[in-house]
Amino acid sequence: MMYAKSHLPTPFGDFILYCFVNRGEHLVLVKPYKGVPLVRIHSKCTTGDALFSLRCDCRAQLKKALELIGREGGVFIYLDQEGRGIGLKDKIRAYALQDEGYDTVEANLKLGFKADERDYSACVEIFRALNIKQMRLLTNNPAKVDYLRSKGFKVEAVPLRVELTPQNREYIKAKREKLKHNL
Ligand SMILES: [Zn+2]
């Protein structure tokens, strides 16, 4: 897989920065680690990550994961797939449906998508490129853990908890009840 490599100073520490190209441009931050790395796979959420949206908990999760990995070392993958894989425009259309009373899962289904269209296959290649076979994965999503295990990785799930706000309460409820996230 093609990649570029440099370094990136951040408020959470100095990281090695990669950009892997494979159906998108995926950014990877690596902080030197010993033993089994702490890993986070974060799917891009432009409205949350860059524009401070309170409709979801993405930005809080991003910050928490970078803090943890910056502190103890590990690997942070910023996966180039927006809105559970449906893209920005359709994510905004799903928001409009949510304003009419649909939850996040119902809105995606109404637009003709699966509840979750995310694809983690690029991560498999990124882990192979970084020679990672075993990880402690920061996640509340059992499907992510099952997928990586099915690809031969040894994965221990580490919960990533962020605070509920009045705005993201319904969103997190739908993730817990319909997408089986451990929240
Ligand atoms: Zn988000």
Side-chain angles (χ1 to χ4, degrees):
M1 187 166 27
M2 236 175 52
Y3 71 90
K5 182 181 176 187
S6 180
H7 69 94
L8 193 73
T10 78
F12 312 104
D14 287 341
F15 293 86
I16 302 162
L17 172 67
Y18 294 86
C19 179
F20 288 92
V21 182
N22 175 356
R23 293 186 307 286
E25 295 183 303
H26 313 290
L27 293 169
V28 181
L29 293 175
V30 178
K31 180 98 182 202
Y33 54 87
K34 291 196 182 92
V36 181
L38 190 61
V39 170
R40 172 69 180 167
I41 299 170
H42 184 95
S43 293
K44 180 198 260 181
C45 173
T46 304
T47 46
D49 301 339
L51 300 182
F52 301 83
S53 166
L54 297 177
R55 294 191 83 116
C56 56
D57 55 351
C58 299
R59 192 167 206 273
Q61 290 193 334
L62 170 78
K63 182 164 179 277
K64 185 82 193 253
L66 285 173
E67 280 169 1
L68 292 169
I69 291 171
R71 196 156 62 216
E72 65 169 282
V75 177
F76 181 91
I77 298 180
Y78 193 72
L79 208 55
D80 189 3
Q81 59 179 343
E82 179 80 43
R84 283 201 207 105
I86 71 177
L88 251 180
K89 175 175 58 62
D90 285 319
K91 184 170 92 168
I92 308 306
R93 289 172 67 205
Y95 282 168
L97 288 171
Q98 287 170 42
D99 292 341
E100 292 170 21
Y102 297 93
D103 70 29
T104 179
V105 170
E106 292 163 347
N108 279 21
L109 297 176
K110 194 167 167 61
L111 289 171
F113 297 105
K114 289 184 280 189
D116 194 338
E117 295 270 348
R118 282 181 293 191
D119 169 7
Y120 297 106
S121 57
C123 296
V124 171
E125 293 181 45
I126 289 167
F127 289 135
R128 284 182 186 143
L130 297 173
N131 200 25
I132 292 169
K133 300 180 178 76
Q134 197 177 343
M135 67 192 77
R136 289 179 300 129
L137 186 66
L138 284 163
T139 187
N140 305 314
N141 183 358
K144 215 186 262 182
V145 175
D146 291 346
Y147 173 77
L148 290 169
R149 284 180 180 156
S150 79
K151 295 294 173 188
F153 295 95
K154 204 170 162 200
V155 182
E156 180 200 336
V158 179
L160 183 62
R161 305 273 187 241
V162 297
E163 278 178 30
L164 285 178
T165 65
Q167 292 90 347
N168 71 21
R169 191 175 302 272
E170 286 304 312
Y171 170 80
I172 288 174
K173 186 163 163 262
K175 280 213 295 196
R176 181 177 59 229
E177 291 171 3
K178 297 202 169 172
L179 297 172
K180 309 290 178 224
H181 287 207
N182 301 315
L183 291 164

